[in-house]
C-alpha cells in the first residue's frame, strides 16, 4: 500500500504562522481538496520546533546545484540529512560535492520539489494533482507568506 501526500509549506524554512492564519489556510485546503469532505483524504497539520525536511519520497529523481548546474547526488543528500537529523537541521548550509560551494540545501534544485519547513499542511491521498498557481496564491494569501508545495509518493 503506497500513499501520495500533497503538502503546503511556507517558502521560508524558519517561519511559522499564527494559529489563526494556519486555520484559515487549512480551511482553504479543505475547499480545494474535495476528497477531504468525502473522507477519502486526510489532512495533517504539523508544527516543528526545528526545521524539518519535507521530501517527495520516491518522486525524488535528481538534485541539481544552482551554482555550477552539476548534480549533487541523492546519496550525498541522504547521508547529510541523516548526519544532521540529531540536531534538528540547526543549519541548512552545506558544502556541495559538485563544486564545493557553500549553499543552503533549501536552494538546491530538487526534481521533484522538496522543501524545509517548521510548519506543514499535509494532505494524505488527496485524489488530485498539484495545486495550480492560482490556488497557491489563495493559500499564500491565507497564510500571509509565500508558499511552496511538495507532492510525495511513499
Ligand atoms: Zn555545484
Amino acid at each position: 500500500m503506497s500513499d501520495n501526500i500533497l503538502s503546503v509549506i511556507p517558502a521560508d524554512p524558519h517561519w511559522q504562522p499564527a494559529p489563526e492564519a494556519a486555520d484559515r489556510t487549512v480551511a482553504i485546503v479543505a475547499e480545494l481538496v474535495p476528497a477531504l469532505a468525502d473522507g477519502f483524504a486526510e489532512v495533517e497539520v504539523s508544527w516543528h520546533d526545528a526545521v524539518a525536511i519535507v521530501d517527495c519520497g520516491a518522486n525524488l529523481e535528481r538534485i541539481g546545484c544552482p551554482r555550477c548546474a552539476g548534480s549533487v547526488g541523492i546519496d550525498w543528500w541522504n547521508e547529510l540529512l541523516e548526519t544532521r537529523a540529531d540536531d534538528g537541521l540547526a543549519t541548512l548550509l552545506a558544502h556541495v560535492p559538485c563544486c564545493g560551494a557553500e549553499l543552503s540545501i533549501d536552494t538546491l534544485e530538487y526534481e521533484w520539489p522538496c522543501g524545509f519547513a517548521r510548519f506543514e499542511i499535509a494532505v494524505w491521498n488527496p485524489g488530485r494533482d498539484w495545486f495550480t498557481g492560482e490556488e497557491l496564491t489563495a493559500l499564500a494569501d491565507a497564510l500571509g507568506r509565500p508558499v511552496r508545495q511538495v507532492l510525495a509518493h511513499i
Side-chain angles (χ1 to χ4, degrees):
M1 184 66 196
S2 63
D3 293 297
N4 289 310
I5 307 164
L6 181 59
S7 294
V8 177
I9 57 173
D12 177 346
H14 300 280
W15 185 80
Q16 288 186 314
E20 307 78 56
D23 289 347
R24 265 199 314 270
T25 313
V26 172
I28 293 186
V29 167
E31 282 171 26
L32 299 176
V33 183
L36 282 169
D38 298 340
F40 296 116
E42 259 180 72
V43 70
E44 186 183 11
V45 181
S46 308
W47 305 76
H48 302 292
D49 290 336
V51 175
I53 170 75
V54 181
D55 74 79
C56 63
N59 289 336
L60 185 60
E61 290 165 1
R62 181 180 184 274
I63 305 173
C65 171
R67 195 66 63 85
C68 73
S71 182
V72 163
I74 292 174
D75 289 345
W76 173 85
W77 185 73
N78 280 331
E79 254 169 57
L80 180 84
L81 289 179
E82 239 167 68
T83 340
R84 294 202 177 171
D86 298 339
D87 68 359
L89 288 175
T91 176
L92 293 175
L93 287 175
H95 289 276
V96 287
C98 40
C99 60
E102 189 181 39
L103 310 164
S104 168
I105 51 175
D106 190 46
T107 66
L108 298 177
E109 292 161 353
Y110 298 95
E111 297 166 20
W112 302 5
C114 292
F116 296 85
R118 293 181 58 217
F119 175 75
E120 178 184 3
I121 301 170
V123 184
W124 286 69
N125 300 310
R128 59 159 289 163
D129 212 337
W130 301 96
F131 291 117
T132 64
E134 205 174 304
E135 290 171 337
L136 283 178
T137 302
L139 292 165
D141 285 348
L143 198 63
R145 289 286 179 103
V147 295
R148 288 187 194 176
Q149 62 182 331
V150 174
L151 184 52
H153 184 73
I154 58 170

